Amino acid sequence: MAKSNEEIANEAIKRALRSLRKRHLSEEGAHASAFAALSRPIVSQGSEWKDKAESLEVELQQCYKAQSRVSEQLVVEIAESRTLKALVQEKETETADLQKECTETRDECVQLKKDLEDKIKALEVVLSENAELKIQLQQMTVRAKNAETENKTLVDRMMLEKMKNAEQLNEANQLYDDMIKQLKASGLEQLARQQIDGIVRRSEQGADAFLQSNIPSTCKHRLQAHEGGCASILFENNSNKLITGGQDRTVKVWDTDSGSLISNLYGCLGSVLDLAITNDNRSVIAASSSNNLYAWDLSLGRVHHTLTGHKDKVCAVDVSKVSSRHVVSAAYDRTIKVWDLIKGYCINTVIFHSNCNALCFSSDGQTIFSGHIDGNLRLWDIKTGKLLSEVAAHSFAITSISLSRNGNAVLTSGRDNLHNLFDVRSLEVSTTLKAVGNRVASNWSRSCISPDDQNIAAGSSDGSVYIWSASKTDVVSTLKEHTSSILSCAWSGLGRPLASADKNGVVCIWT
């Protein structure tokens, strides 16, 4: 165990005192004989020398004491010197560390200076690129403004043309009504129907059998049509034959007069989400959750086209009302596709940010109406695929779009539980229909317009079918037979019956 500085100093003092005593004794022994020899001859002076010796001895003791004090002071100074030496060593070590740290800091400062120069150069490059981008942005902004101005001009011109066409159509309708009244008065109603049908409904077979729509009140047949839900139903054109599609991947044709099944159409690889039929009643097209569309030949009962190209489930389909060739479909891959049914491939694709839930052709077959999840109703040009017009129809997703028989109005239904009738010419809401208990069941709940355009039918999540008067906007009938949410309603082109389908696959025929 190391001794402290104080103990070392005490030992040094003790050694010094012992050395002084030894020296004193040795000197005293060396001078003793001389002192004795001298003391004999001078006995007489003994007392004097004795006094002197005593004084010298006292002086010697004082010298010893002074020497002791000097030794003690020397020890203290040595200890202090050692302490200072250790302190100096510590300072030298700290100085070396500080010099090393200073060198490292200097090197780091040089590296930081180099990095700063590199950053300044990079910043200059970025500033230069930013200036160029600003110039390009200004140019693009000017182009966008010019394009927007040009687009607005074109839209105004298009709307003006549509208004002119609408006025001409109104004049034709008025002429038609005047002719009907005159011919009814003269007793030639049948002849008038044949002549007018050749102009207005030339492509509609069975127009002579057209009847005024009645408001149904009784469930004539309750059909267990499909296993699982039945998402889509429609009637053949001017016929009482009903076509249904369900989650069991089948399409079925029914006789609504007897409630019997006429035929089954197989070949679909997914749930049937929507149906459409050509004007000549030869082909029925199904939109499927398998990302494809399937077209059956009704006379043969087999698939003659499988339309592939969508990347997600196909939720809506419609056929042109002036041609059995063009088909339009919408899928959850944010695309709307136009197909050539004769050639069996896609001829145009529209890509949009909001998924489309429902769509239909205009009466002239040149425009597509589409209803989207964002609640907007959009019009597209079938040839160019360009957006012609857009209107906020509902506050939530649109679930259904139906065109009136005369083509002047389009019905939209939405998840906000409203049913809006738009004037096709101005795209303004002419009628809004709603009911306290009416709740739209899904994003693909289909409503319909009666063939005489006088009534609207829509299903509800409580299993009821609500029927409104389009002119009075009030509920004229509520049909209750279903036990689950209703997904689709369809009205026969002959004016009766009305059909409805629910989530359990049950189809009701109403008369």
Side-chain angles (χ1 to χ4, degrees):
M1 183 176 180
K3 294 181 180 180
S4 63
N5 294 333
E6 186 177 356
E7 290 176 350
I8 295 172
N10 291 332
E11 289 180 357
I13 292 171
K14 289 179 181 179
R15 285 196 300 271
L17 291 176
R18 284 196 296 269
S19 299
L20 289 174
R21 287 193 187 96
K22 287 180 180 179
R23 182 180 177 184
H24 173 69
L25 292 174
S26 61
E27 287 180 355
E28 192 173 302
H31 292 91
S33 58
F35 183 77
L38 289 173
S39 61
R40 292 188 188 100
I42 52 174
V43 174
S44 59
Q45 299 178 356
S47 58
E48 184 180 352
W49 286 102
K50 185 178 180 181
D51 295 335
K52 189 179 289 187
E54 291 178 353
S55 62
L56 289 172
E57 186 176 357
V58 171
E59 186 178 352
L60 181 60
Q61 290 177 355
Q62 291 176 351
C63 288
Y64 286 158
K65 291 179 180 180
Q67 186 178 5
S68 176
R69 286 194 299 272
V70 170
S71 299
E72 291 177 356
Q73 186 176 359
L74 178 62
V75 170
V76 172
E77 290 180 354
I78 289 172
E80 291 179 354
S81 176
R82 288 176 179 175
T83 303
L84 292 173
K85 185 176 181 180
L87 183 61
V88 168
Q89 289 179 350
E90 291 178 1
K91 295 296 183 182
E92 288 178 350
T93 303
E94 291 180 359
T95 301
D97 294 339
L98 289 174
Q99 288 179 348
K100 183 179 179 181
E101 185 177 355
C102 181
T103 302
E104 293 176 352
T105 305
R106 189 179 294 108
D107 294 339
E108 184 178 358
C109 182
V110 172
Q111 183 63 36
L112 290 174
K113 186 176 180 181
K114 184 178 179 181
D115 293 343
L116 178 61
E117 292 175 353
D118 295 340
K119 296 291 184 183
I120 291 174
K121 292 179 180 179
L123 180 61
E124 291 175 352
V125 174
V126 171
L127 290 174
S128 176
E129 293 178 353
N130 185 44
E132 294 178 358
L133 290 174
K134 282 184 177 179
I135 296 173
Q136 294 179 6
L137 178 61
Q138 292 176 354
Q139 295 175 351
M140 294 300 291
T141 302
V142 173
R143 291 179 184 176
K145 289 182 179 179
N146 294 336
E148 185 177 358
T149 303
E150 184 179 358
N151 183 53
K152 186 176 180 181
T153 303
L154 291 175
V155 170
D156 292 341
R157 290 172 58 187
M158 182 193 70
M159 294 303 297
L160 182 61
E161 291 296 327
K162 282 186 174 292
M163 291 176 65
K164 290 181 180 178
N165 293 335
E167 291 176 357
Q168 294 175 358
L169 184 59
N170 287 336
E171 292 176 358
N173 289 336
Q174 185 63 40
L175 178 62
Y176 170 76
D177 293 338
D178 293 342
M179 291 176 65
I180 288 294
K181 291 178 181 178
Q182 293 174 4
L183 292 172
K184 280 183 178 180
S186 63
L188 298 176
E189 181 178 358
Q190 183 64 29
L191 177 61
R193 186 180 299 278
Q194 292 175 358
Q195 292 177 349
I196 300 303
D197 283 346
I199 299 173
V200 179
R201 291 192 292 272
R202 184 177 300 165
S203 64
E204 295 181 5
Q205 298 179 1
D208 291 333
F210 175 77
L211 300 175
Q212 183 178 4
S213 302
N214 69 323
I215 299 174
S217 58
T218 305
C219 179
K220 182 179 180 181
H221 299 291
R222 192 175 191 275
L223 310 175
Q224 185 60 51
H226 295 274
E227 295 180 4
C230 180
S232 181
I233 56 176
L234 60 81
F235 283 91
E236 286 188 354
N237 294 310
N238 300 303
S239 168
N240 283 338
K241 290 182 180 180
L242 179 68
I243 304 172
T244 65
Q247 289 186 4
D248 55 6
R249 304 181 180 183
T250 63
V251 175
K252 298 181 180 182
V253 183
W254 304 83
D255 184 344
T256 57
D257 292 331
S258 62
S260 59
L261 178 64
I262 298 175
S263 62
N264 279 301
L265 304 178
Y266 299 104
C268 182
L269 299 180
S271 300
V272 178
L273 301 180
D274 199 14
L275 292 170
I277 190 168
T278 57
N279 292 326
D280 54 13
N281 287 337
R282 291 182 179 178
S283 298
V284 62
I285 301 98
S288 170
S289 62
S290 65
N291 306 348
N292 299 328
L293 293 104
Y294 301 88
W296 285 271
D297 186 318
L298 281 177
S299 61
L300 300 176
R302 64 186 182 188
V303 174
H304 63 87
H305 278 307
T306 299
L307 306 179
T308 61
H310 283 295
K311 304 300 182 183
D312 205 338
K313 61 184 178 183
V314 188
C315 57
V317 63
D318 194 27
V319 180
S320 173
K321 295 169 178 58
V322 297
S323 168
S324 296
R325 182 169 188 168
H326 291 142
V327 175
V328 63
S329 64
Y332 264 38
D333 55 5
R334 294 187 174 90
T335 64
I336 298 173
K337 290 183 179 290
V338 181
W339 308 84
D340 187 319
L341 193 59
I342 295 177
K343 296 180 179 179
Y345 60 75
C346 177
I347 59 176
N348 201 356
T349 298
V350 175
I351 302 175
F352 202 68
H353 64 83
S354 178
N355 279 326
C356 174
N357 285 338
L359 48 74
C360 72
F361 272 101
S362 62
S363 58
D364 60 3
Q366 300 301 311
T367 307
I368 301 169
F369 296 89
S370 63
H372 297 257
I373 284 181
D374 60 8
N376 285 7
L377 173 66
R378 295 179 172 88
L379 277 68
W380 308 88
D381 187 292
I382 186 175
K383 294 181 180 179
T384 63
K386 292 184 178 180
L387 180 64
L388 300 177
S389 187
E390 180 177 2
V391 61
H394 295 270
S395 56
F396 296 104
I398 294 177
T399 69
S400 174
I401 293 181
S402 303
L403 190 68
S404 64
R405 191 180 185 93
N406 60 19
N408 292 335
V410 63
L411 170 68
T412 64
S413 298
R415 291 309 297 267
D416 55 3
N417 303 316
L418 298 179
H419 309 277
N420 292 327
L421 274 172
F422 285 86
D423 189 317
V424 172
R425 295 159 292 188
S426 63
L427 284 184
E428 294 181 353
V429 177
S430 58
T431 304
T432 296
L433 308 172
K434 60 182 178 179
V436 175
N438 181 242
R439 295 289 182 271
V440 176
S442 75
N443 277 359
W444 306 282
S445 293
R446 310 302 192 193
S447 56
C448 65
I449 308 175
S450 64
D452 60 0
D453 301 335
Q454 297 301 311
N455 299 302
I456 309 297
S460 176
S461 59
D462 63 358
S464 301
V465 179
Y466 290 81
I467 300 176
W468 289 267
S469 169
S471 58
K472 298 179 180 178
T473 70
D474 57 349
V475 176
V476 295
S477 181
T478 303
L479 310 178
K480 296 184 179 181
E481 180 67 27
H482 293 275
T483 58
S484 63
S485 300
I486 296 177
L487 299 180
S488 182
C489 292
W491 221 308
S492 169
L494 300 179
R496 66 184 69 181
L498 171 70
S500 58
D502 65 24
K503 282 188 175 181
N504 290 335
V506 174
V507 174
C508 290
I509 310 299
W510 305 90
T511 58

